[in-house]
Amino acid sequence: MKAHEGMYIGGRWRPARGQDTIAVVNPADEQVIGHVPAGTAEDVDDAVHAARAAFPGWAATPPAGRAARIAALRDVLAARKDEIAETVTAELGSPPPLSQAVHAGVPVLVAGSYAELAASYSFEEQLGNSTVLLEPVGVVGAITPWNYPLHQIVAKVAPALAAGCTVVLKPAEDTPLTAQLFAEAVQEAGLPDGVFNLVTGLGPVAGQALAEHEGVDLVSFTGSTAVGRQIGATAGAAVKRVALELGGKSANVILPGADLAKAVNVGVANVMSNSGQTCSAWTRMLVDAERYEEAVALAAAAVAKYVPGKRVGPLVNAKQQARVRGYIEKGVAEGARLVAGGPDAPKERGYYVSPTVLADVTPEMTVAQEEIFGPVLCVLRYEDTEDALRIANGTVYGLAGAVWAADDAEAVAFARRMDTGQVDINGGRFNPLAPFGGYKQSGVGRELGPHGLAEYLQTKSLQF
């Protein structure tokens, strides 16, 4: 697609206030594929005012009317699936099959779920002599990351719209073209002017202006825990609500008696998907001492199938590539055993990192504690079930995880004791209605399904 040279504000594309632009680079070949405006605080102010002006009318629209517009948006996204996939591949480097199935496909599914929820959700309930009303919180400032550029947009915008909120979106500067495609889809779907607005720009400028703006009632942010802390502090000073989906260091716990080959192969696939750039990836594989070496060998064999440039794409930019390679070097320096991959770049061009397996990782190592955000799997040994639980819960994060056991009941019993927001049991399938979000420093609030919709509502009670 051709990049827009302006912002989408108030239902139309308009010139940016400033002259600065951001180059969009294809991480697979390091070529510039377009430029977008670097938004200013003035652009953000224009967008927030447009959203505030549109809010009363959109909030007063009956839920069935909001549902119809979200359904229309879903249909446009579905019709433009090929274009979306091609754009994600160009600016993120995602392999085409992943771009089609996940980056373009899942947002259609999520948008559809909110079209249905908007029509069926109970925005009013009776408690004794009180009528409790669930009303939209107001104007939402959505700040989204680059790793799942369209999914993260839809996971914020769709529930906000379903709730009756209006939105100003600031997407990641690495993947703004997908956000522009979404704005085109909003326009084509016929949403009222100002209900959705887009400002491209840098986080410290446009993102900060959006988080600080007095006309924004809720900030929904997905990204690093460090930036999440800053946004939380900013919002707290203004007594403004936040929803924060932050980092993860999720454990894939393989209990004795589980199907080891299946657990390892699915676990490797989970980590390597999207080049390891997934906050909920099961980057720590926990295996009992008796089967540890067998699991390491299985993991190394599985990783060998993920060929850079074919089955696994590049990292998003040179900074991220250097960061991940540095973590691999640090892991080896701290005593981890390199059994697959390594820090050397596998290709001369593009921001690739070799899919890597580190064995003999201990819980206190840096690679076992910090989010790497690349195609790196750490395999840890545990002595018994209590030791496995201690290791699984032994980080500041608690976003996701997995448990494998001989039967579901055993896995569920272990999962109930894990300090994390979502756990897959013996390879459980993705559910777009299940709440997604974390414990501890993995965030505040939930996304997806009715719990995701509730984030954008506030409560009023009427006593009779």
Side-chain angles (χ1 to χ4, degrees), residues 285-290 292-293 337 360-361 363 379-383 387 391:
M285 181 178 290
L286 278 56
V287 187
D288 62 280
E290 185 175 340
Y292 183 79
E293 289 301 336
R337 172 167 45 116
D360 299 340
V361 175
V379 189
L380 293 85
R381 180 187 287 104
Y382 67 83
E383 297 303 322
D387 190 37
I391 295 170

Side-chain angles (χ1 to χ4, degrees), residues 85-101:
E86 290 170 2
T87 302
V88 174
T89 292
E91 63 180 356
L92 183 62
S94 170
L98 184 70
S99 295
Q100 275 283 345

Side-chain angles (χ1 to χ4, degrees), residues 250-254 259-278 280-287 294-307 311-312 339-340 354-358 374-379 402 404:
S250 301
N252 180 18
V253 183
I254 306 174
D259 185 334
L260 185 65
K262 182 178 180 181
V264 170
N265 280 295
V266 174
V268 167
N270 175 279
V271 174
M272 297 303 145
S273 179
N274 210 42
S275 305
Q277 299 171 130
T278 304
S280 57
W282 310 334
T283 52
R284 293 181 299 143
M285 181 178 290
L286 278 56
V287 187
E294 182 184 356
V296 170
L298 286 168
V303 162
K305 300 174 183 177
Y306 289 83
V307 179
R311 198 170 175 184
V312 65
V339 296
S354 295
T356 297
V357 177
L358 296 174
V376 181
L377 172 65
C378 298
V379 189
W404 302 81

Side-chain angles (χ1 to χ4, degrees), residues 176-201:
L177 303 183
T178 302
Q180 290 189 341
L181 270 181
F182 181 79
E184 291 179 3
V186 165
Q187 192 171 36
E188 188 176 340
L191 269 75
D193 295 350
V195 167
F196 171 82
N197 307 273
L198 169 67
V199 176
T200 55

Side-chain angles (χ1 to χ4, degrees), residues 55 70 83 125 148 151 189 246 262 315 331 343 372 382 423 459:
F55 174 67
I70 298 170
E83 184 182 6
E125 64 176 327
Y148 289 92
H151 169 65
L246 308 175
K262 182 178 180 181
L315 299 188
I372 298 173
Y382 67 83
V423 184
T459 306

Side-chain angles (χ1 to χ4, degrees), residues 110-182:
V110 172
S113 74
Y114 279 112
E116 295 176 6
L117 274 170
S120 63
Y121 195 85
S122 178
F123 292 94
E124 183 175 320
E125 64 176 327
Q126 199 68 32
L127 291 177
N129 64 307
S130 300
T131 298
V132 179
L133 308 177
L134 298 176
E135 300 180 336
V137 70
V139 173
V140 173
I143 303 174
T144 55
W146 45 261
N147 60 328
Y148 289 92
L150 184 59
H151 169 65
Q152 293 290 349
I153 291 171
V154 172
K156 297 182 187 303
V157 175
L161 297 181
C165 298
T166 55
V167 181
V168 177
L169 169 68
K170 204 298 285 184
E173 50 264 35
D174 290 291
T175 54
L177 303 183
T178 302
Q180 290 189 341
L181 270 181
F182 181 79

